[in-house]
């Protein structure tokens, strides 16, 4: 009688994009990641829209509750096992909308706490890399645990074309690297959850 291999645990990933533009290349990275995840056993990615969030203002916190859009966002982050950030680089750092979302979810109780995370980015020559390093610094305070390897920085403008006119990723080599990120995030999340148990 042959032993049946146990199915890998299902890891639920919340995917956030720092750009609000629907055809942004960073948004395209997340769409590609969601498509790739269908070929990875035990990985589910849900895109979480940060555009409805108001600017953080603690006056909006009433008796320990938050505005409905914030409450819904925080519940999605809390329910996720890990986080996938697509972080464009604005002025050498993370975007305002992404920082706003991070700050809302860090309000008590901090729903980022102890989760695994990964970052992908695309842009000019450095591919958004400076934003990634700032996001890692923010993650220290939030107690987010980022995978270290592999890293994903994609120069969107160096030939051949990496994206089509709708912002969809068409570069096969980049898709392979994106899959490596997802596999690493899945494995690291399983390890973290095992340690907690």
């Amino acid at each position: 009688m042959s032993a049946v291999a146990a199915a890998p645990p299902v890891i639920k990933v919340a995917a956030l994009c720092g750009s609000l533009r629907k055809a942004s290349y960073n948004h395209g990275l997340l769409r590609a990641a969601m498509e790739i995840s269908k070929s990875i056993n035990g990985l589910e990615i849900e895109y979480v829209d940060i555009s409805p969030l108001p600017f953080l203002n603690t006056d909006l916190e009433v008796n320990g509750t938050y505005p409905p859009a914030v409450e819904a966002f925080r519940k999605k982050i809390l329910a996720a096992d890990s986080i996938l950030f697509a972080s464009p680089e604005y002025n050498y750092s993370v975007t305002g909308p992404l920082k706003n979302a991070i700050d809302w979810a860090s309000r008590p109780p901090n729903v980022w706490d102890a989760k695994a995370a990964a970052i992908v980015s695309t842009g000019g020559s450095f591919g958004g890399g400076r934003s990634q390093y700032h996001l890692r610094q923010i993650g220290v305070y939030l107690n987010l645990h980022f995978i270290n390897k592999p890293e994903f920085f994609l120069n969107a403008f160096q030939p051949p074309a990496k994206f089509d006119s709708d912002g969809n990723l068409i570069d096969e080599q980049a898709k392979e690297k994106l899959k490596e990120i997802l596999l690493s995030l899945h494995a690291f999340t399983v390890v973290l959850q095992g340690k907690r148990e």
Side-chain angles (χ1 to χ4, degrees):
M1 198 171 177
S2 60
V4 177
V10 175
I11 299 300
K12 295 181 179 180
V13 181
L16 280 68
C17 184
S19 173
L20 303 185
R21 191 171 66 88
K22 296 302 181 188
S24 82
Y25 291 161
N26 282 276
H27 205 141
L29 291 180
L30 291 186
R31 287 195 298 273
M34 293 172 73
E35 186 62 31
I36 292 166
S37 71
K38 295 174 184 177
S39 68
I40 300 175
N41 196 13
L43 190 69
E44 295 178 0
I45 301 178
E46 178 185 2
Y47 173 70
V48 180
D49 187 6
I50 64 174
S51 64
L53 297 174
F55 286 127
L56 189 141
N57 179 350
T58 53
D59 289 343
L60 299 176
E61 301 176 21
V62 180
N63 298 323
T65 65
Y66 299 94
V70 175
E71 290 280 10
F73 173 70
R74 287 172 55 85
K75 285 178 181 176
K76 286 186 179 294
I77 299 303
L78 183 62
D81 298 302
S82 55
I83 313 296
L84 176 63
F85 293 98
S87 182
E89 181 181 320
Y90 286 12
N91 301 317
Y92 280 19
S93 190
V94 299
T95 68
L98 182 56
K99 183 60 165 62
N100 185 58
I102 289 169
D103 291 344
W104 269 125
S106 73
R107 297 294 298 161
N110 170 24
V111 294
W112 304 110
D113 186 50
K115 294 186 186 295
I119 318 169
V120 296
S121 62
T122 185
S125 59
F126 195 21
R130 295 180 188 90
S131 73
Q132 291 201 24
Y133 294 137
H134 275 195
L135 186 49
R136 286 178 181 274
Q137 287 179 309
I138 294 166
V140 173
Y141 183 78
L142 301 176
N143 199 33
L144 271 171
H145 303 292
F146 285 100
I147 63 170
N148 290 324
K149 299 290 180 182
E151 293 179 299
F152 186 103
F153 316 104
L154 180 64
N155 185 329
F157 308 108
Q158 182 179 9
K162 307 297 189 299
F163 298 87
D164 66 17
S165 59
D166 294 320
N168 296 309
L169 184 65
I170 57 175
D171 184 271
E172 292 303 321
Q173 188 175 4
K175 288 181 180 181
E176 283 301 315
K177 290 181 179 177
L178 201 50
K179 185 172 184 177
E180 291 174 14
I181 288 281
L182 298 179
L183 289 170
S184 179
L185 179 60
H186 182 278
F188 186 49
T189 306
V190 170
V191 168
L192 276 183
Q193 289 182 340
K195 286 182 178 178
R196 276 183 229 136
E197 289 169 4

